[in-house]
Amino acid sequence: MPRPISNKTVADTLYEISLILDAEGVSFKPQAYEEAANTVRSLDEELSDLYKKCGLKCIDDLPGIGQSIAEKIEELLKTGRLAYYQKLKKKYPLDLLELTNIQNIGAKTAIKLYKKLGIKTVADLEKAAHAQKISKLKGFGQRTELDIIRQIAFKKLSRGRFLIHSALPLTESIIKELKSVSGVTHCEVAGSVRRRQETIGDIDLLITTSKPELAIKKFVSLPEIARVLEKGPSKIMVRYRFGMNGDLRILKPEEYGSALQYFTGDKEHNIALRKIAIKKGYKLSEYGLFKGKKHVAGKTEEGIYKTLGLDWIPPEIRTNSGELEAAAKHQLPDLIPYGSLKGDLQVQTNWSDGESSILEMAKAARAAGLSYIGITDHTQTLAVAHGLNEDKLKKQITEIDRVNKKIEGFKVLKSTECEILTDGRLDIKDEVLKKLDLVCVAIHGRTKMSSEEMTKRIIRALKHPLVNILLHPTGRIVNYREAYKMDFAQVLRAAVEYGVALEINSSYRLDLKDALIRQALEAGAKFTISSDTHSTGGFADLQFGIAQARRGWTTKADVLNTKPVDSFLKALKGLKK
Ligand code: DGT
Ligand code: CA
Ligand code: CA
Ligand code: ZN
């Protein structure tokens, strides 16, 4: 007998087969292999032990495993090899499991990259991306290439912290699944996901249920879960696909609010809140708020804050930086609500490096609940992104007029993401900028200059009488690139003085950062929240910009694109006095 094969190896093998079959366009079989892989992953017992006990029959009897796959598992257990798998691997000798761990690279894409460029591993992929070989392939843009580089670098740098952009959709799909299980009464996320932080260490889920066994069974068999790390009666720890970790805690209903409060954090907020409780003669823990031995609150979070004389505090601002004092004085800001944006002021199209046409982007924005967008294709200096020159921008203006006639109850605004040159001039002539509804400016090239030079460069652009919005104002990219060196306070003063709004960018830039939003707010700045989308699916990212704005204590009145298009333009132009 060879060395016993672990459940993980069996599950990975089955999963890889499902990936290959799916990429080949085979029907039904991929799902069968994937389901079998999930069953194997969530088993309590080692398959090799099970097989020793009662042979093929026991494997065949497992839920989601049919006879043909059971026989393949038997071959693996008996010989340590699987001929069918090896035949597939000979055809596709690439590390599919590792490669598909990169987001937006499915098996089909990985195989295509192998066939065209010989890419077998993530290291090969990184090399090809740096050599700009991927962007030259049909169906891949420069943006995809940059995204690949960013993700690989991010995985190396981030030590396992993930962007909220990937953690939140994953969390929401799991909550939806768990809520559908019989007996479940509450299911919510706590921790950094609930606080909508920029990056997430692990996903903390809480539930209450009258049938814990059912919920656990459902949870461990979810396809999003790669591995169960630990399984106890009231706490399960798992590893999700893409490598994120998470826990699920099963709580008593009377403790739900106190646990939600405790596990939402952050830690500093919790410590300060506990001190307030002690001062008022209570004891606060994840199990409840107690006076002596008496449980006085804990069923709901509101109940805890209220008993302590505080207003309920939105999770995004639970950082112990003034929110507890404000809650005691009933002076918490009325944070900008999710879903309150009416327009999006940074949208790229296939005129530069976006994927879709102006009309397609407009329709997608309308479907996402917006009533206007500003088209901001890059300008000529940004040649890698096929930036527009004056002639092309004038042609685009004509095209936007045509699109506006085609789409009802919606307005496409003529705008630009005009490059700020090294000396602070813009790379499009005023006579063309004048024809636009609004002018946005940004920096992409030559970002490494001294703080003095950069500050001067940006302020000169802000001073330009036609400029309305400074896009991704500091150039930072979460977990990837620091902000440019500059004197932000000076830039801020110039923005307020010259009537330029600051963008809160919703993409993986998340620029401005929360602390700078708060600083800008105090200086009297106004904001726009934009998606910076390059495809029709990108409008969903606006929620992350709103989260960022909320973490910066922003209200609806501070964000200009919460207004309908006419009053938005009026308010934007009004900043210039
Ligand atoms: P993460 O996972 O690194 O993105 O950040 P969190 O905030 O989700 O942290 P996590 O998962 O370690 O713990 C969840 C919450 O539990 C945390 O926000 C506050 C609470 N917590 C954890 N450890 C402590 C602690 O030592 N003291 C107090 N007071 N609370 C804690
Ligand atoms: Ca966490
Ligand atoms: Ca945790
Ligand atoms: Zn940009």
Side-chain angles (χ1 to χ4, degrees):
M1 275 291 268
R3 199 161 59 92
I5 301 276
S6 71
N7 286 3
K8 179 177 184 324
T9 307
V10 175
D12 285 351
T13 306
L14 297 175
Y15 182 60
E16 206 176 342
I17 293 175
S18 88
L19 287 176
I20 294 175
L21 295 179
D22 190 40
E24 287 197 322
V26 177
S27 46
F28 304 118
K29 269 181 153 187
Q31 290 88 311
Y33 274 96
E34 186 173 352
E35 201 186 336
N38 287 332
T39 300
V40 173
R41 270 196 192 102
S42 60
L43 283 181
D44 290 323
E45 199 177 357
E46 281 300 314
L47 271 173
S48 50
D49 295 336
L50 194 69
Y51 183 68
K52 253 184 251 161
K53 256 192 290 183
C54 53
L56 182 62
K57 184 173 179 313
C58 277
I59 294 172
D60 200 357
D61 282 350
L62 291 171
I65 298 187
Q67 198 190 338
S68 139
I69 294 182
E71 281 166 5
K72 294 209 165 53
I73 295 176
E74 179 181 41
E75 185 184 333
L76 249 178
L77 293 170
K78 261 168 73 177
T79 67
R81 298 157 54 91
L82 176 59
Y84 177 60
Y85 171 73
Q86 265 153 358
K87 204 175 94 198
L88 290 175
K89 282 303 280 189
K90 211 165 159 190
K91 200 162 157 201
Y92 305 111
L94 58 153
D95 193 342
L96 268 177
L97 291 179
E98 202 198 352
L99 284 163
T100 54
N101 239 330
I102 306 277
Q103 265 178 64
N104 300 325
I105 299 217
K108 227 187 210 147
T109 307
I111 287 173
K112 189 166 162 194
L113 289 171
Y114 165 69
K115 284 186 177 160
K116 300 258 179 209
L117 300 172
I119 290 170
K120 290 184 183 176
T121 63
V122 171
D124 295 344
L125 181 69
E126 189 180 17
K127 245 196 256 156
H130 278 294
Q132 304 191 1
K133 287 184 180 163
I134 292 170
S135 54
K136 297 206 177 77
L137 294 180
K138 214 175 152 226
F140 295 86
Q142 205 218 1
R143 193 164 172 89
T144 315
E145 189 163 72
L146 285 174
D147 196 50
I148 288 170
I149 293 174
R150 187 185 60 79
Q151 276 198 61
I152 296 172
F154 174 69
K155 275 187 206 283
K156 283 186 194 160
L157 283 177
S158 65
R159 293 164 182 251
R161 292 196 70 83
F162 289 80
L163 281 178
I164 184 76
H165 299 70
S166 45
L168 187 65
L170 172 65
T171 305
E172 283 173 345
S173 83
I174 291 162
I175 291 179
K176 200 170 149 216
E177 297 270 9
L178 287 175
K179 277 192 168 162
S180 72
V181 179
S182 146
V184 172
T185 38
H186 289 96
C187 180
E188 248 176 298
V189 70
S192 49
V193 179
R194 184 163 182 241
R195 301 197 313 278
R196 300 290 191 272
Q197 270 199 250
E198 295 178 348
T199 65
I200 304 303
D202 76 343
I203 301 176
D204 306 282
L205 289 169
L206 308 177
I207 64 168
T208 56
T209 169
S210 57
K211 297 173 187 161
E213 330 73 50
L214 273 188
I216 293 175
K217 207 170 148 219
K218 174 79 181 189
F219 183 59
V220 299
S221 69
L222 289 175
E224 290 88 349
I225 286 172
R227 211 140 64 88
V228 178
L229 302 173
E230 248 180 74
K231 198 159 112 185
S234 63
K235 186 183 169 190
I236 298 149
M237 288 170 68
V238 298
R239 163 84 38 94
Y240 295 104
R241 294 240 173 97
F242 304 130
M244 214 175 311
N245 281 357
D247 333 308
L248 175 73
R249 288 187 168 80
I250 299 168
L251 304 163
K252 294 183 195 144
E254 66 273 19
E255 293 171 357
Y256 185 71
S258 47
L260 182 60
Q261 194 290 313
Y262 179 85
F263 290 111
T264 296
D266 70 6
K267 198 168 154 185
E268 303 305 320
H269 175 91
N270 282 358
I271 293 170
L273 186 67
R274 200 177 303 165
K275 278 191 191 142
I276 294 174
I278 293 169
K279 233 180 174 171
K280 300 202 167 196
Y282 296 97
K283 201 179 138 272
L284 176 65
S285 74
E286 59 181 288
Y287 305 108
L289 183 64
F290 298 86
K291 189 130 222 177
K293 284 227 153 64
K294 194 166 173 268
H295 185 264
V296 292
K299 198 163 188 256
T300 67
E301 224 180 27
E302 286 82 355
I304 293 173
Y305 284 106
K306 196 167 169 218
T307 312
L308 294 173
L310 304 170
D311 290 339
W312 178 83
I313 300 170
E316 293 91 334
I317 59 170
R318 295 186 195 171
T319 54
N320 192 28
S321 46
E323 78 278 11
L324 288 159
E325 293 78 356
K329 288 190 265 176
H330 311 292
Q331 282 173 1
L332 282 170
D334 191 4
L335 300 181
I336 172 174
Y338 290 100
S340 61
L341 298 179
K342 298 213 162 57
D344 186 349
L345 286 314
Q346 199 192 152
V347 174
Q348 271 76 218
T349 71
N350 57 11
W351 283 67
S352 65
D353 61 345
E355 286 173 11
S356 307
S357 70
I358 297 170
L359 183 62
E360 283 164 343
M361 292 308 271
K363 283 183 174 163
R366 190 174 58 180
L370 300 174
S371 58
Y372 58 98
I373 52 174
I375 300 296
T376 51
D377 283 303
H378 293 287
T379 51
Q380 48 196 348
T381 312
L382 215 62
V384 285
H386 314 289
L388 275 53
N389 59 19
E390 276 98 357
D391 267 357
K392 273 209 171 151
L393 194 53
K394 278 195 266 181
K395 287 205 180 94
Q396 187 178 59
I397 289 170
T398 315
E399 170 64 10
I400 292 176
D401 282 333
R402 208 177 63 88
V403 169
N404 272 327
K405 282 189 197 120
K406 275 192 178 171
I407 181 161
E408 258 174 67
F410 192 90
K411 179 89 180 176
V412 181
L413 297 173
K414 298 156 194 163
S415 183
T416 175
E417 177 169 13
C418 186
E419 190 67 12
I420 302 175
L421 297 168
T422 333
D423 61 2
R425 283 176 306 123
L426 305 181
D427 77 340
I428 295 288
K429 292 198 188 88
D430 287 5
E431 55 174 273
V432 181
L433 293 180
K434 269 188 199 142
K435 297 182 194 291
L436 301 171
D437 293 309
L438 71 157
V439 173
C440 303
V441 292
I443 287 178
H444 298 88
R446 275 279 327 269
T447 56
K448 288 196 178 76
M449 35 170 63
S450 72
S451 171
E452 293 74 30
E453 278 179 299
M454 185 56 93
T455 308
K456 247 173 80 187
R457 175 181 181 184
I458 298 177
I459 290 178
R460 180 164 178 196
L462 297 180
K463 209 167 173 176
H464 190 296
L466 293 171
V467 169
N468 302 110
I469 305 174
L470 177 61
L471 302 179
H472 41 77
T474 72
R476 60 96 56 143
I477 295 178
V478 180
N479 261 356
Y480 181 59
R481 200 168 70 198
E482 296 293 324
Y484 326 124
K485 290 200 199 85
M486 66 163 142
D487 184 338
F488 185 67
Q490 263 196 59
V491 168
L492 205 50
R493 271 198 301 277
V496 175
E497 183 179 346
Y498 302 125
V500 176
L502 300 174
E503 179 188 65
I504 298 172
N505 187 294
S506 310
S507 76
Y508 51 75
R509 292 174 176 273
L510 291 177
D511 182 13
L512 295 171
K513 213 175 146 95
D514 50 5
L516 296 186
I517 296 174
R518 244 177 124 173
Q519 188 185 340
L521 211 52
E522 275 157 29
K526 293 288 176 197
F527 306 93
T528 55
I529 299 176
S530 324
S531 68
D532 196 357
T533 182
H534 290 64
S535 63
T536 51
F539 297 105
D541 280 357
L542 286 169
Q543 60 175 320
F544 304 113
I546 297 181
Q548 189 85 348
R550 287 168 65 89
R551 283 190 292 101
W553 290 51
T554 303
T555 67
K556 200 171 164 180
D558 303 315
V559 179
L560 300 176
N561 53 325
T562 55
K563 300 175 194 296
V565 66
D566 290 338
S567 27
F568 161 74
L569 283 173
K570 208 170 146 212
L572 187 69
K573 304 283 162 84
L575 296 180
K576 292 207 173 284
K577 276 166 271 174

